[in-house]
Amino acid sequence: MAGHSGLTDTPLSAAPDLVRVFGLWTLYLSHEKHFSRHTLRAYLSDVHYFCDFLTAHLARPPSLQDLGEASIRDFRSWLAKRTGETVNLSVWSGSEAVSIVQALGSNAITHFAAPGRTNPAHCSASGKVLLAFEPQDIVDRLLAAPLQRYTEHTVTDPDALREQLRKIRTLGYAVNVGELSSDVCAVSAPVFDMDGSLVGALTVTVPAYRFDAARQAEIISETLPVARDLSEQ
């Protein structure tokens, strides 16, 4: 893979079997799918980054078997390292999101979404993602109840929330900008099991002071592929 098609001269930190697979896959993307050189460079950059992470994580270059055995914990930790922020996986309790596991990046704020913490369905990124894929009768029941306003940004109008949930299902992610706490923002994406059922929400939490439009777009672009990879586990 080193120097493949002139795209990179940096050797991949991986065992020979994994280097070969990624090399063949890159050829397929280039010749069969007609990916542009720019897209391939971005893909290879992500591959190198993830393999470097696994090399440090395993204390040796990863093999094809290691990649196949990568766990939810591995992907979550990689996303935290990649973004530098707090990353957590939440599940649905029937009325709210419950954080069950957490990984901290280099710039993470540790009190965000600690394991065991619950977040309201109507004003947190994880809660909205989980609610968006619930049956309509559950959505109607929760939105018919009084909805607490936590900040000036909290949305409490049921019709507005229904429209947000529709957009979340279409886009595949939710964004929270100061709705639960004015100084906290987040991006959350759904995680599905092999039969397409929702099993959780992968969320990156960021302090509001560094969540400008560019950072928001960056977090979204980092979170969605990891959530998709988790859905294939």
Side-chain angles (χ1 to χ4, degrees):
M1 191 166 185
H4 173 71
S5 299
L7 291 169
T8 176
D9 294 319
T10 305
L12 185 67
S13 178
D17 62 344
L18 190 54
V19 171
R20 180 175 181 274
V21 166
F22 277 130
L24 292 172
W25 180 244
T26 304
L27 285 171
Y28 171 76
L29 294 178
S30 175
H31 298 303
E32 299 295 331
K33 292 298 185 179
H34 307 293
F35 277 27
S36 69
R37 290 175 65 83
H38 175 77
T39 301
L40 284 173
R41 284 182 184 276
Y43 165 72
L44 291 177
S45 175
D46 284 344
V47 167
H48 276 260
Y49 196 99
F50 187 53
C51 286
D52 287 346
F53 166 79
L54 287 179
T55 296
H57 183 62
L58 299 170
R60 57 175 170 75
S63 66
L64 185 59
Q65 180 177 344
D66 292 325
L67 188 64
E69 294 175 350
S71 66
I72 289 177
R73 181 185 298 273
D74 295 326
F75 282 99
R76 193 180 67 247
S77 298
W78 180 68
L79 183 59
K81 179 178 175 62
R82 179 88 174 186
T83 63
E85 307 291 356
T86 302
V87 177
N88 73 287
L89 184 68
S90 299
V91 296
W92 184 244
S93 73
S95 60
E96 57 193 354
V98 182
S99 175
I100 58 171
V101 286
Q102 183 184 77
L104 302 177
S106 58
N107 296 318
I109 307 298
T110 58
H111 72 273
F112 287 164
R117 173 172 173 168
T118 60
N119 285 319
H122 71 287
C123 61
S124 64
S126 57
K128 287 183 181 181
V129 160
L130 295 170
L131 181 59
F133 293 91
E134 283 295 298
Q136 190 60 48
D137 61 321
I138 294 179
V139 173
D140 291 340
R141 174 175 58 82
L142 290 177
L143 296 188
L147 300 174
Q148 182 175 346
R149 182 180 296 278
Y150 291 87
T151 75
E152 61 179 335
H153 302 295
T154 306
V155 178
T156 58
D157 177 72
D159 290 336
L161 286 166
R162 285 189 178 89
E163 178 60 18
Q164 286 188 358
L165 297 178
R166 184 192 67 78
K167 289 182 178 179
I168 290 167
R169 289 190 294 271
T170 299
L171 296 174
Y173 64 87
V175 177
N176 165 24
V177 181
E179 296 180 46
L180 181 58
S181 176
S182 60
D183 59 350
V184 177
C185 301
V187 170
S188 188
V191 177
F192 301 95
D193 62 16
M194 294 300 289
D195 67 4
S197 300
L198 184 71
V199 295
L202 183 70
T203 306
V204 178
T205 307
V206 186
Y209 70 85
R210 59 173 180 249
F211 196 68
D212 58 15
R215 183 61 170 154
Q216 178 177 319
E218 181 182 13
I219 295 294
I220 291 170
S221 69
E222 300 285 5
T223 305
L224 293 184
V226 178
R228 285 194 294 267
D229 285 344
L230 287 175
S231 295
E232 297 171 0
Q233 293 295 300

